[in-house]
């Protein structure tokens, strides 16, 4: 009998992970035993295989099936060994250009506009390298990614190669009905992440008259085509009172999540937002007040408050965002940022960094960890400053920071966020002091909110290992 991989399965291998598979639409790769791998390699529609309990198990997992006459694997499915370390995703800023002039832009090292951009030739070469390195999932950002003259060509090339455009971060200006019609026939619809910074406030923050009404109309258009939409909202002293009404508006429009982000001390915001940045305890207090009111509204929109808490009303569950580890699953070998370890960040200039949200800070301080125009991506993912940074472990960070060695919250915190560790702690290898404030003074306050708001229903479920 002959068998074939199911059409959403592709075999891959990397240094340290030589036998694995991607399941299209499910993020990271999954490891295989040698025996499983050898069977799946023969599921090509041509090679005969004897029946076995292991084959039956792989069929039950929907990794393969009995082949029909004429079945063939496509190029994306065939086994590919990538001679570099494993990275499943990329966050690629294809351009620094933007039709807005946002007051907080984290890509900016100063007040000047970023005019850097990948040429079409560089785009094709970089996409080829991503494919060769086994990167499967793509998040496109900018600047404004849709301002790139070859934006749809970039998307088509990823689709042609079987690579998944997971999300698009955009201000929404260039979304059209024609674009959505084309995305609708892609193998999977991308998630759209749009910026909206408060009712009556968005135009000022984005320095663009009419931006607020425009993005609302684009959200309606996206929902008409059944695209998933998430909203990213910056909060500061000037718009804090607008955030709950904004969440209610977005809930009524069918937006699935509002992500509320403390407008952080990036270089441009330090200059343009003087006096508006929320202090650390001020931000936590804002979040407490927001969550209490949010829970009383019975909204269906999920709320993710950056570095504070994520609330998922559809599953009646919540997650303390600073809890990155767990008392029962802790390992010294955890990377200090699992997001950075799994997702390559690339700037419009081609620099490779642990975190695109800190690109302006790195640029301002002249820190470079490699550039994809100067060094092959495979080499950057095999050794050097970039790989050393994203593979830096929590065990190593604890040794560098005596305070973490005696902290009772260490196995939950794991040193905190690298971006805020840089800003408030002084460097990538420093602990994040704002998490100390959270664990010492706010963890129990947030947990109490969920018990207080469930008198007439089952308790909310905390998904953290604490």
């Amino acid at each position: 009998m002959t068998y074939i991989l199911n059409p959403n399965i592709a075999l891959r291998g990397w240094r340290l992970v030589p036998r694995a598979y991607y399941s299209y639409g499910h993020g990271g790769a999954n490891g295989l035993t040698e025996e499983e791998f050898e069977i799946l390699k023969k599921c090509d529609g041509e090679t005969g295989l004897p029946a076995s309990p292991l084959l039956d198990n792989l069929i039950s997992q929907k990794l393969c099936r009995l082949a029909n006459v004429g079945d063939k694997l496509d190029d994306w499915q065939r086994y590919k060994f990538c001679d570099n370390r494993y990275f499943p995703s990329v966050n690629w800023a294809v351009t620094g250009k933007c039709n807005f002039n946002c007051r907080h832009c984290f890509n900016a090292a100063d007040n000047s506009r970023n005019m850097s951009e990948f040429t079409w030739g560089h785009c094709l070469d970089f996409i080829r390298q991503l494919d060769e390195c086994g990167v499967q999932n793509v998040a496109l950002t900018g600047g404004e990614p849709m301002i790139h003259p070859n934006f749809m060509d970039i998307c088509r090339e990823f689709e042609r190669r079987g690579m998944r455009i997971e999300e698009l971060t955009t201000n929404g200006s260039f979304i059209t009905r024609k674009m959505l019609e084309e995305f609708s026939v892609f193998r999977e619809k991308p998630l759209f992440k749009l910026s909206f910074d408060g009712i009556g406030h968005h135009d000022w923050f984005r320095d663009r008259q009419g931006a607020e009404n425009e993005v609302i109309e684009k959200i309606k258009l996206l929902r008409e085509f059944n695209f998933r939409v998430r909203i990213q909202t910056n909060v500061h002293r000037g718009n804090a009172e607008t955030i709950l009404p904004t969440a209610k508006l977005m809930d009524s429009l069918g937006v699935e999540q509002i992500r509320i982000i403390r407008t952080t001390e990036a270089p441009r915001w330090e200059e343009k937002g003087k006096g508006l940045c929320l202090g650390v305890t001020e931000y936590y207090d804002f979040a407490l007040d927001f969550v209490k009111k949010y829970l009383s509204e019975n909204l269906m929109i999920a709320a993710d408050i950056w570095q504070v808490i994520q609330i998922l009303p559809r599953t009646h569950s919540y997650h303390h965002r600073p809890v990155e580890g767990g008392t029962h699953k802790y390992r010294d070998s955890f990377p200090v940022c699992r997001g950075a370890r799994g997702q390559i960040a690339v700037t419009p200039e081609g620099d490779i960094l642990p975190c695109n949200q800190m690109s302006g800070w790195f640029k301002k301080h002249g820190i470079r960890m490699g550039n994809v125009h100067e060094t092959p991506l495979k080499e950057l993912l095999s050794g050097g400053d970039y790989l050393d940074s994203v593979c830096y472990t929590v065990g190593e960070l604890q040794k560098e920071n005596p305070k973490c060695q005696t902290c009772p919250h260490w196995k939950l915190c794991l040193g905190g966020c690298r971006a805020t560790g840089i800003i408030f702690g002084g460097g990538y290898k420093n602990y994040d002091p704002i998490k100390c404030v959270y664990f010492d003074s706010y963890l129990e306050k947030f947990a109490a909110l969920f018990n207080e708001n469930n008198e007439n229903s089952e308790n909310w479920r905390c998904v953290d290992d604490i």
Side-chain angles (χ1 to χ4, degrees), residues 96-146:
K97 298 175 183 178
C98 188
N99 57 320
F100 286 12
N101 191 26
C102 304
R103 298 175 189 273
H104 74 302
C105 183
F106 56 72
N107 286 327
D110 49 38
N111 257 323
S112 61
R113 288 182 176 268
N114 187 339
M115 302 304 288
S116 302
E117 186 171 81
F118 274 66
T119 66
W120 175 230
H122 282 144
C123 287
L124 285 173
D125 182 63
F126 184 55
I127 293 170
R128 175 190 58 78
Q129 292 190 65
L130 288 168
D131 196 2
E132 289 179 352
C133 291
V135 176
Q136 173 61 21
N137 308 293
V138 181
L140 295 179
T141 184
E144 168 49 51
M146 295 180 186

Side-chain angles (χ1 to χ4, degrees), residues 156-167:
R156 293 179 192 118
E157 182 64 11
F158 281 123
E159 178 74 2
R160 184 185 73 80
R161 289 176 176 268
M163 300 165 74
R164 172 184 175 231
I165 301 177
E166 187 174 17
E167 60 186 48

Side-chain angles (χ1 to χ4, degrees), residues 55-89:
L55 176 59
D56 289 341
N57 184 47
L58 294 171
I59 292 171
S60 71
Q61 293 181 59
K62 302 188 184 304
L63 300 183
C64 58
R65 60 171 174 80
L66 193 64
N68 297 316
V69 176
D71 278 345
K72 292 183 179 180
L73 296 176
D74 63 32
D75 289 341
W76 172 75
Q77 293 182 279
R78 295 185 183 279
Y79 177 65
K80 180 190 300 178
F81 179 77
C82 309
D83 192 18
N84 51 266
R85 296 291 294 275
Y86 163 68
F87 284 83
S89 304

Side-chain angles (χ1 to χ4, degrees), residues 133-406:
C133 291
V135 176
Q136 173 61 21
N137 308 293
V138 181
L140 295 179
T141 184
E144 168 49 51
M146 295 180 186
I147 211 170
H148 193 288
N150 298 102
F151 172 73
M152 286 307 299
D153 295 320
I154 292 168
C155 295
R156 293 179 192 118
E157 182 64 11
F158 281 123
E159 178 74 2
R160 184 185 73 80
R161 289 176 176 268
M163 300 165 74
R164 172 184 175 231
I165 301 177
E166 187 174 17
E167 60 186 48
L168 300 171
T169 298
T170 173
N171 60 43
S173 302
F174 300 99
I175 296 172
T176 65
R177 190 172 288 272
K178 181 180 178 182
M179 175 190 292
L180 298 185
E181 287 171 351
E182 182 166 358
F183 276 131
S184 293
V185 299
F186 276 31
R187 188 166 180 173
E188 180 182 312
K189 289 181 175 180
L191 165 70
F192 279 79
K193 296 170 75 171
L194 275 69
S195 304
F196 189 92
D197 298 292
I199 295 172
H201 188 85
H202 185 65
D203 287 8
W204 174 83
F205 194 72
R206 299 287 165 175
D207 199 15
R208 167 93 171 195
Q209 196 68 28
E212 180 172 329
N213 290 333
E214 182 178 47
V215 74
I216 289 172
E217 291 306 310
K218 295 303 173 70
I219 291 169
K220 291 176 181 177
L221 180 61
L222 285 162
R223 295 303 300 136
E224 179 186 332
F225 279 83
N226 291 316
F227 280 87
R228 295 166 56 220
V229 181
R230 292 183 184 173
I231 289 299
Q232 304 196 107
T233 300
N234 282 275
V235 62
H236 51 81
R237 289 174 184 158
N239 70 343
E241 294 300 319
T242 73
I243 305 302
L244 182 64
T246 295
K248 293 167 70 174
L249 170 63
M250 295 302 155
D251 187 59
S252 72
L253 294 174
V255 173
E256 70 171 37
Q257 183 188 81
I258 180 169
R259 186 168 188 247
I260 302 164
I261 308 163
R262 175 185 175 273
T263 316
T264 306
E265 293 86 346
R268 180 178 289 187
W269 182 243
E270 284 190 313
E271 180 174 339
K272 290 199 169 186
K274 285 184 173 67
L276 290 177
C277 198
L278 290 168
V280 173
T281 57
E282 193 177 5
Y283 176 58
Y284 288 144
D285 288 338
F286 155 80
L288 275 171
D289 183 63
F290 173 86
V291 171
K292 185 173 184 178
K293 293 174 180 176
Y294 164 92
L295 292 174
S296 70
E297 295 286 346
N298 294 315
L299 302 176
M300 295 309 295
I301 187 172
D304 185 355
I305 307 177
W306 181 70
Q307 297 296 318
V308 180
I309 202 156
Q310 182 183 51
I311 311 169
L312 304 170
R314 294 183 187 275
T315 58
H316 218 61
S317 61
Y318 67 97
H319 162 51
H320 295 281
R321 273 296 185 187
V323 175
E324 291 295 337
T327 54
H328 299 101
K329 60 185 179 183
Y330 171 82
R331 295 201 307 270
D332 282 341
S333 58
F334 283 150
V336 290
C337 178
R338 276 174 275 185
R341 178 60 190 87
Q343 186 176 67
I344 308 159
V346 180
T347 72
E349 295 82 12
D351 285 336
I352 184 170
L353 297 171
C355 174
N356 259 337
Q357 283 73 14
M358 291 301 297
S359 58
W361 187 91
F362 278 96
K363 189 186 303 181
K364 180 178 179 179
H365 291 83
I367 299 172
R368 301 187 74 205
M369 296 182 175
N371 186 285
V372 299
H373 301 316
E374 301 165 5
T375 307
L377 182 63
K378 181 185 296 185
E379 187 175 325
L380 294 169
L381 301 185
S382 299
D385 291 344
Y386 168 74
L387 192 68
D388 289 345
S389 294
V390 299
C391 291
Y392 186 63
T393 68
V394 298
E396 291 173 302
L397 186 143
Q398 188 184 37
K399 289 177 183 177
E400 290 274 346
N401 296 279
K403 184 172 182 177
C404 297
Q405 295 166 19
T406 58

